[in-house]
Amino acid sequence: MNLRRYLPILDWGLTYDRGAFSNDMVAAVIVTIMLIPQSLAYALLAGLPPEAGIYASIAPIILYAIFGTSRALAVGPVAVVSLLTASAIGQVAEQGTAGYAVAALTLAFLSGGFLMLLGVLRLGFLANFLSHPVIAGFITASGILIAASQLKHILGISAQGHTLPEILMQLWENLGQTNWITVVLGMLATGFLFWVRKGLKPLMRRLGATPTVADFATKAGPVAAVVATTLSVWLFGLDERGVKIVGSVPQSLPPLTMPGLSPDLIQALLIPAILISVIGFVESVSVAQTLAAKKRQRIDPDQELIGLGAANIGAAFTGGYPVTGGFSRSVVNYDAGAETPAAGAYTAVGLAIAAMALTPLVYFLPNATLAATIIVAVLSLVDFSILKKTWDYSASDFVAVAVTILLTLLMGVEIGVASGVVISVLLHLYKTSRPHVAEVGLVPGTQHFRNIHRHNVETDPKVVTLRVDESLYFINARFLEELVQSRVTEGCEIEHVILMFSAVNEVDFSALESLEAINLRLSDMGVGLHLSEVKGPVLDRLRQSHLLDVLNGEVFLSQFDAWQSLLPRTRTT
């Protein structure tokens, strides 16, 4: 069982049958057709030779099939990680040089090693520091950046930059170099791909095609765009008229490569590798959990870290770059009927065949078509509705989203996501530093206690019950002290204060000292301090201290017990 935990292939592999093989093969064919143009396009986005995209889709998929727990996740290059890769290695090497390719291998190696380390130490929960609003904001901004960065290929001009102002300025300065033949090809390809996504399937259904055939045709749309534009360039010699093409792509299986391990390179890429790892893992595990839930299956997030880590290390030694589980291809894989990770392995075989036999066919493929493929794919990720949703629900979440989007667009992807994480943590600390503490009273005819400002409840001027709705730790301990002090002033008629701990899951040492200070201050005022509904683990910790020994009141099992016990005392004094 322990071996199966680290090698999930032993779990599903022992029950693999002919039916699963058939379903997996069908899914593999569909995903392979979809993945060929995507792999080439995402390598272009990362600033790498097109074959790097195919190489990054072979060994990583096989390794994930061995170590991963999701039965539908399709691993490979994705848009956001490709953008992060270009941003990271563009700072340490010039695009097109051998050093650039080595930096990409090193980035994949560091990312894989970090993921493996988190998985072995079972630290997958650290990814929770990236909140959903921050992820949504980052992906939206990244989608805009990616689409803007590909406009240079649509226009046939040169332009650089890692921020939106830089990209737009470069596009404007070089607009005079526009190649109008490239523009026509790029616009036609973009328009066609948008139509394929929205209009082809309904059209084919109206023409009498079966749902399976219509779905397959929709998935193969990018291949049709590739074939049509490649033939156009070849037949009319458009490459001689300024249309930039992919050119020669090595006709081989992934080579054995070695990442650079120089201390300077590792130091320069370590932080970007960690960001890529965390973002890739969050995207991947969210997709995997969604698809697993549909079939009432489960995934192990910590083992997913190991699976993705192995995939990235595999990419580092086979000419690739950082990879993760892609949303679009995983959904296609699931919808196509994939039953096990073997579907990914079969996809890898299909891509290996493509790398050996089909690469000469993409010699005349225009870069504009690959750019159109990227633009259509990433614009579906742009979702500005998250701004309205967070504005309506939570001002702090809106701030996190808005700042993440703005900083990503204006200062680059790494600063954007890092700032989003920092802002999320700071906002969380701010909110927990001022926990909600409600003064409660007894709902008539029941044993329930509710907020005196929201409900008609019974109270007693000599008994104050404060329900603490947050764990107590160093950052909010003083807040509770000041709140109790402001409520129990000198000369008031309060004789008992009850702290209702039903929502308190933790009391750290700083909070313990604050409780002792509250107890001492109330004792000097002749007011009793009582606790109610203290959870077992919290009570165990308090018993290890001397708070309960010096407490000038009692610890009650329930708030109703405290009410019944203390009220008669106040009425007889």
Side-chain angles (χ1 to χ4, degrees):
M1 291 300 295
N2 193 47
L3 189 59
R4 284 189 180 187
R5 176 184 175 275
Y6 289 104
L7 291 173
I9 190 173
L10 297 178
D11 187 25
W12 58 264
L14 296 176
T15 58
Y16 199 67
D17 56 23
R18 184 176 298 179
F21 171 77
S22 176
N23 291 333
D24 286 344
M25 280 298 295
V26 171
V29 170
I30 294 174
V31 174
T32 300
I33 292 173
M34 174 187 179
L35 199 52
I36 291 173
Q38 264 196 3
S39 298
L40 298 172
Y42 289 150
L44 182 73
L45 174 59
L48 293 163
E51 64 269 18
I54 295 179
Y55 295 161
S57 303
I58 297 177
I61 297 178
I62 295 173
L63 287 167
Y64 180 80
I66 296 171
F67 294 101
T69 60
S70 172
R71 301 200 174 195
L73 192 70
V75 172
V78 299
V80 173
V81 170
S82 297
L83 175 65
L84 286 166
T85 298
S87 175
I89 60 182
Q91 299 175 19
V92 298
E94 185 177 347
Q95 187 173 326
T97 64
Y100 193 91
V102 170
L105 300 175
T106 305
L107 194 63
F109 179 75
L110 293 174
S111 178
F114 182 71
L115 288 166
M116 291 278 280
L117 179 64
L118 291 182
V120 170
L121 298 178
R122 305 187 70 79
L123 296 176
F125 70 90
L126 291 176
N128 295 334
F129 283 104
L130 272 176
S131 67
H132 173 71
V134 166
I135 285 288
F138 173 71
I139 289 177
T140 291
S142 297
I144 296 171
L145 274 180
I146 291 169
S149 72
Q150 296 308 296
L151 290 177
K152 63 183 180 183
H153 298 296
I154 299 293
L155 298 173
I157 63 178
S158 298
Q160 302 299 323
H162 297 295
T163 67
L164 189 59
E166 289 176 357
I167 293 170
L168 295 178
M169 183 63 69
Q170 286 275 303
L171 290 172
W172 176 256
E173 290 176 353
N174 295 298
L175 200 58
Q177 305 171 11
T178 300
N179 183 289
W180 292 104
I181 299 176
T182 301
V183 172
V184 171
L185 280 176
M187 295 299 291
L188 286 175
T190 304
F192 172 74
L193 291 174
F194 271 119
W195 175 77
V196 164
R197 283 200 165 209
K198 300 292 184 181
L200 180 58
K201 190 172 183 178
L203 175 63
M204 295 196 67
R205 293 290 290 129
R206 287 197 298 270
L207 295 176
T210 64
T212 303
V213 172
D215 194 55
F216 183 84
T218 302
K219 302 298 186 298
V223 177
V226 166
V227 172
T229 54
T230 301
L231 286 174
S232 299
V233 173
W234 175 60
L235 288 173
F236 300 107
L238 300 182
D239 57 314
E240 298 176 358
R241 302 175 65 179
V243 175
K244 295 180 181 179
I245 58 175
V246 169
S248 180
V249 176
Q251 192 173 355
S252 67
L253 292 173
L256 182 62
T257 54
M258 181 64 68
L261 300 177
S262 71
D264 291 341
L265 184 60
I266 291 175
Q267 182 179 359
L269 295 178
L270 184 59
I271 299 302
I274 292 174
L275 288 175
I276 287 173
S277 301
V278 174
I279 293 169
F281 172 66
V282 170
E283 179 181 354
S284 177
V285 79
S286 61
V287 174
Q289 287 175 332
T290 300
L291 297 179
K294 292 183 177 181
K295 288 191 174 182
R296 296 190 177 183
Q297 297 169 348
R298 62 175 298 275
I299 67 165
D300 180 352
D302 291 313
Q303 183 60 30
E304 284 296 289
L305 285 165
I306 294 175
L308 292 172
N312 277 279
I313 291 174
F317 289 97
T318 56
Y321 67 98
V323 297
T324 192
F327 177 76
S328 58
R329 74 175 67 105
S330 295
V331 172
V332 170
N333 195 39
Y334 176 87
D335 290 341
E339 289 194 20
T340 72
Y346 303 148
T347 300
V349 173
L351 290 170
I353 294 172
M356 288 288 293
L358 301 181
T359 48
L361 301 179
V362 300
Y363 181 90
F364 290 102
L365 172 62
N367 288 344
T369 303
L370 295 179
T373 302
I374 294 172
I375 290 171
V376 173
V378 300
L379 286 183
S380 65
L381 303 176
V382 176
D383 178 21
F384 284 112
S385 68
I386 189 67
L387 289 168
K388 183 180 185 305
K389 292 174 183 175
T390 52
W391 175 262
D392 292 340
Y393 186 77
S394 168
S396 60
D397 285 335
F398 171 80
V399 170
V401 173
V403 170
T404 301
I405 291 175
L406 288 175
L407 289 180
T408 301
L409 292 176
L410 298 178
M411 303 187 70
V413 289
E414 293 173 9
I415 292 178
V417 71
S419 300
V421 173
V422 171
I423 291 169
S424 293
V425 172
L426 290 177
L427 287 173
H428 172 73
L429 292 176
Y430 174 75
K431 286 187 287 187
T432 57
S433 70
R434 302 179 64 82
H436 182 259
V437 179
E439 185 171 341
V440 298
L442 179 66
V443 179
T446 73
Q447 297 184 13
H448 300 291
F449 290 77
R450 293 293 185 268
N451 193 322
I452 63 172
H453 300 297
R454 292 177 177 267
H455 303 273
N456 293 320
V457 292
E458 295 178 6
T459 60
D460 188 285
K462 295 183 179 181
V463 178
V464 170
T465 298
L466 301 175
R467 189 189 66 217
V468 183
D469 293 337
E470 182 71 64
S471 290
L472 295 175
Y473 63 118
F474 66 95
I475 204 167
N476 60 22
R478 287 286 298 171
F479 176 81
L480 182 62
E481 278 190 60
E482 293 168 1
L483 183 68
V484 173
Q485 185 173 357
S486 65
R487 184 64 181 84
V488 186
T489 56
E490 291 290 346
C492 68
E493 57 180 323
I494 296 173
E495 297 180 4
H496 301 282
V497 171
I498 309 170
L499 295 181
M500 188 175 172
F501 270 25
S502 54
V504 177
N505 298 314
E506 179 71 28
V507 175
D508 76 356
F509 190 77
S510 297
L512 176 67
E513 291 187 329
S514 289
L515 291 175
E516 292 174 347
I518 293 171
N519 179 65
L520 181 61
R521 188 175 297 116
L522 293 181
S523 295
D524 292 341
M525 298 172 63
V527 177
L529 175 64
H530 311 270
L531 306 179
S532 74
E533 301 193 8
V534 184
K535 294 182 177 179
V538 176
L539 189 58
D540 291 340
R541 295 288 296 276
L542 294 181
R543 283 173 177 154
Q544 295 173 10
S545 70
H546 64 283
L547 172 66
L548 300 186
D549 297 329
V550 299
L551 189 70
N552 69 343
E554 303 175 47
V555 178
F556 294 96
L557 181 64
S558 71
Q559 176 59 29
F560 188 70
D561 290 343
W563 180 263
Q564 285 188 312
S565 176
L566 297 177
L567 224 61
R569 302 183 199 178
T570 65
R571 290 173 179 171
T572 57
T573 56

